[in-house]
Amino acid sequence: MGYFKINSEEFKFFEKANKIVAETLSLLQKNVHPGITTLELDAIAEDYIRSQNAKPAFKGYGSVRNPFPATICASVDEIVVHGIPNNVPLKEGQIISLDCGAEYKGYFGDSAVTCYVGDVSDEVKRLVEITEKSLFKGIEQAISGKKVYDISRAVQTFVEANGYNVTRELVGHGIGDVLHDDPPVPNFVPLLLHRASYPNIKLQKGLAIAIEPMVHLGAKETETLDDGWTVVTKDRTPAAHWEHTIIVDNEKPIIMTLRR
Ligand code: MG
Ligand code: MG
């Protein structure tokens, strides 16, 4: 589990990794428009990360038999997460979730945004807005003395009150000197029988976690495509994904991947 003492040397490396991720996403947000391909966005991200003496954290991630091949996850419409960049131009009216991770001197940053491609329907815009708001509902709970499920409950309650569903198969995570660390941070309060897999630990000052609601316009079920990565909603309704890496603190959490 990654705990940081603010202003320690490790903290500064971690801070830098997260700053690079935030800057990469800002750059990508400016470049999302009809006609651009997700491979072009991927190249922009990789070039920027390497220009900062950092490394893409997702490229090569996973099993040696099927490592993730790209710098960003580019998840269009019904793709929830882990979309693999390709050469298909984006089309007006789509949404695209961009997830980016970077490693700087052994420390990791992780963040995601969902962008509109040109003009998007009001129905889908609302999904994206509610998902972003649910991220901040979760972040608000990340203070010393609260527990992991306080984050989970805040996200789930807000999302469901607005008529949507959170993904069950994928969760947020601890982060620090590894990309995916303990504790898991679900966007739902696990059913009684599943609670052992998601320990409801007490949040302590200095704990670094990535909170990342994935929200479906339709039903909660997902499936993974044959490429072994791409997660889509089973009913093929659109999904949105927002993520920040944060550090638990006493009064209010520190958002490490805030974009300017
Ligand atoms: Mg991510
Ligand atoms: Mg993450």
Side-chain angles (χ1 to χ4, degrees):
M1 256 180 257
Y3 285 95
F4 290 93
K5 201 173 257 168
I6 310 302
N7 293 328
S8 60
E9 193 180 28
E10 303 78 54
F11 178 81
K12 285 183 181 150
F13 295 156
F14 180 64
E15 191 176 42
K16 173 91 174 170
N18 281 281
K19 182 167 178 269
I20 293 166
V21 167
E23 288 166 353
T24 306
L25 287 177
S26 297
L27 187 60
L28 293 177
Q29 280 177 313
K30 287 187 203 120
N31 279 280
V32 169
H33 55 75
I36 196 164
T37 71
T38 47
L39 266 178
E40 288 169 328
L41 293 171
D42 193 67
I44 292 169
E46 180 164 2
D47 288 350
Y48 184 73
I49 290 169
R50 294 200 191 277
S51 79
Q52 300 302 301
N53 300 314
K55 281 188 278 193
F58 300 167
K59 205 167 192 171
Y61 186 89
S63 78
V64 280
R65 290 177 56 206
N66 188 26
F68 192 76
T71 294
I72 57 168
C73 298
S75 305
V76 176
D77 289 344
E78 73 275 12
I79 302 178
V80 184
V81 285
H82 304 165
I84 297 173
N86 61 28
N87 57 16
V88 180
L90 293 177
K91 287 198 289 263
E92 178 103 20
Q94 290 178 321
I95 53 170
I96 178 169
S97 301
L98 299 166
D99 193 349
C100 179
E103 177 188 351
Y104 182 77
K105 294 192 193 293
Y107 291 86
F108 290 84
D110 188 6
S111 183
V113 297
T114 300
C115 309
Y116 306 132
V117 183
D119 248 345
V120 169
S121 73
D122 289 345
E123 186 191 31
V124 172
K125 255 185 203 161
R126 182 174 179 274
L127 167 74
V128 174
E129 285 167 9
I130 293 296
T131 307
E132 183 181 18
K133 281 186 189 157
S134 78
L135 167 61
F136 287 93
K137 295 282 178 192
I139 291 174
E140 275 173 20
Q141 298 296 314
I143 50 178
S144 322
K146 297 249 186 192
K147 291 176 149 190
V148 170
Y149 290 2
D150 290 316
I151 298 172
S152 312
R153 189 177 302 106
V155 172
Q156 181 177 21
T157 307
F158 182 75
V159 166
E160 291 179 356
N162 279 286
Y164 304 131
N165 281 297
V166 295
T167 308
R168 299 305 202 274
E169 287 81 0
L170 296 145
V171 297
H173 50 92
I175 182 168
D177 56 5
V178 293
L179 177 61
H180 293 128
D181 205 349
D182 284 333
V185 184
N187 299 302
F188 51 90
V189 178
L191 298 174
L192 215 48
L193 283 170
H194 299 162
R195 287 191 186 170
S197 318
Y198 305 103
N200 189 19
I201 64 158
K202 200 175 251 190
L203 302 171
Q204 283 179 37
K205 182 182 167 83
L207 173 66
I209 51 176
I211 303 177
E212 48 178 317
M214 292 151 256
V215 177
H216 309 178
L217 188 71
K220 64 178 186 296
E221 286 73 24
T222 59
E223 58 191 25
T224 303
L225 300 186
D226 288 342
D227 61 27
W229 283 105
T230 312
V231 178
V232 296
T233 53
K234 205 163 187 181
D235 60 12
R236 301 298 192 269
T237 55
H241 178 209
W242 289 85
E243 175 179 27
H244 273 309
T245 294
I246 65 105
I247 291 188
V248 174
D249 206 346
N250 290 337
E251 306 291 323
K252 82 186 212 237
I254 307 166
I255 303 177
M256 303 300 290
T257 43
L258 212 54
R259 293 174 299 280
R260 281 159 228 291

